[in-house]
Amino acid sequence: MTFSLISPAFADGQPIPKKHTRFDENLFPPLKWTGTPTGTQSFALLVEDPDAVSGLFRHCAIINIPGDRTELPQSVDTGPEHAIKFIKNDFGNARYDGPQPPPGTGVHHYRFRLAALDVGNLSIPEEVGAAEAWKRASKHLVEEAVLVGTYER
């Protein structure tokens, strides 16, 4: 079975609903995955915008998602979830911050990258930031699934 990532809120390659952007409620979108690779002990998630004016911009980073999980609910960053750990994004917040592209910059593509990892727990402080956390997590990569949502202002 192929390792794949979906969202009940939007289809791959389609617009992310406004309630999941910083222009509205800024809610973390629900995510679900199937086909967890053999050997997976945990997951890491990165949400990034490669179309940002300043270059690659990271909106969310999560580590230590238990390997038996198959989904993250909407607003997981505001709930009582204790097993997962949020790392500071490029806004400087240890949570999800949705799309907020400047006007006139066209369609932005937000990549939700879910990494299956061969380690159960990563000791990464939230202050290192999303880019460094993803680099460290990627050393344990088994396989990656990607979902792309778009947003244009």
Side-chain angles (χ1 to χ4, degrees):
M1 181 182 277
T2 303
F3 184 39
S4 61
L5 177 65
I6 64 163
S7 176
F10 61 93
D12 190 41
Q14 296 301 306
I16 296 170
K18 191 172 183 179
K19 73 179 184 176
H20 300 292
T21 73
R22 288 179 56 126
F23 298 115
D24 203 304
E25 296 177 68
N26 201 30
L27 300 176
F28 181 92
L31 299 173
K32 297 181 180 201
W33 55 92
T34 57
T36 298
T38 302
T40 300
Q41 294 185 37
S42 72
F43 297 96
L45 178 78
L46 181 70
V47 181
E48 61 188 6
D49 174 7
D51 304 313
V53 176
S54 60
L56 187 64
F57 193 89
R58 294 150 201 95
H59 288 257
C60 183
I62 308 171
I63 60 170
N64 300 338
I65 303 167
D68 61 354
R69 295 281 293 267
T70 58
E71 65 183 297
L72 290 173
Q74 178 173 284
S75 301
V76 68
D77 54 336
T78 61
E81 179 66 55
H82 298 291
I84 66 175
K85 181 176 183 178
F86 281 81
I87 304 293
K88 284 190 177 181
N89 61 29
D90 289 351
F91 287 107
N93 303 315
R95 66 167 192 257
Y96 168 80
D97 278 302
Q100 188 183 21
T105 58
V107 176
H108 287 236
H109 298 81
Y110 297 87
R111 293 188 299 221
F112 290 73
R113 300 173 64 188
L114 182 68
L117 307 177
D118 65 4
V119 64
N121 191 300
L122 294 167
S123 295
I124 301 174
E126 71 178 47
E127 294 80 23
V128 303
E132 179 62 23
W134 187 255
K135 181 179 172 183
R136 293 181 191 182
S138 294
K139 293 177 182 175
H140 302 280
L141 183 67
V142 175
E143 194 172 337
E144 183 179 328
V146 179
L147 169 69
V148 177
T150 63
Y151 197 80
E152 181 176 12
R153 186 164 163 199

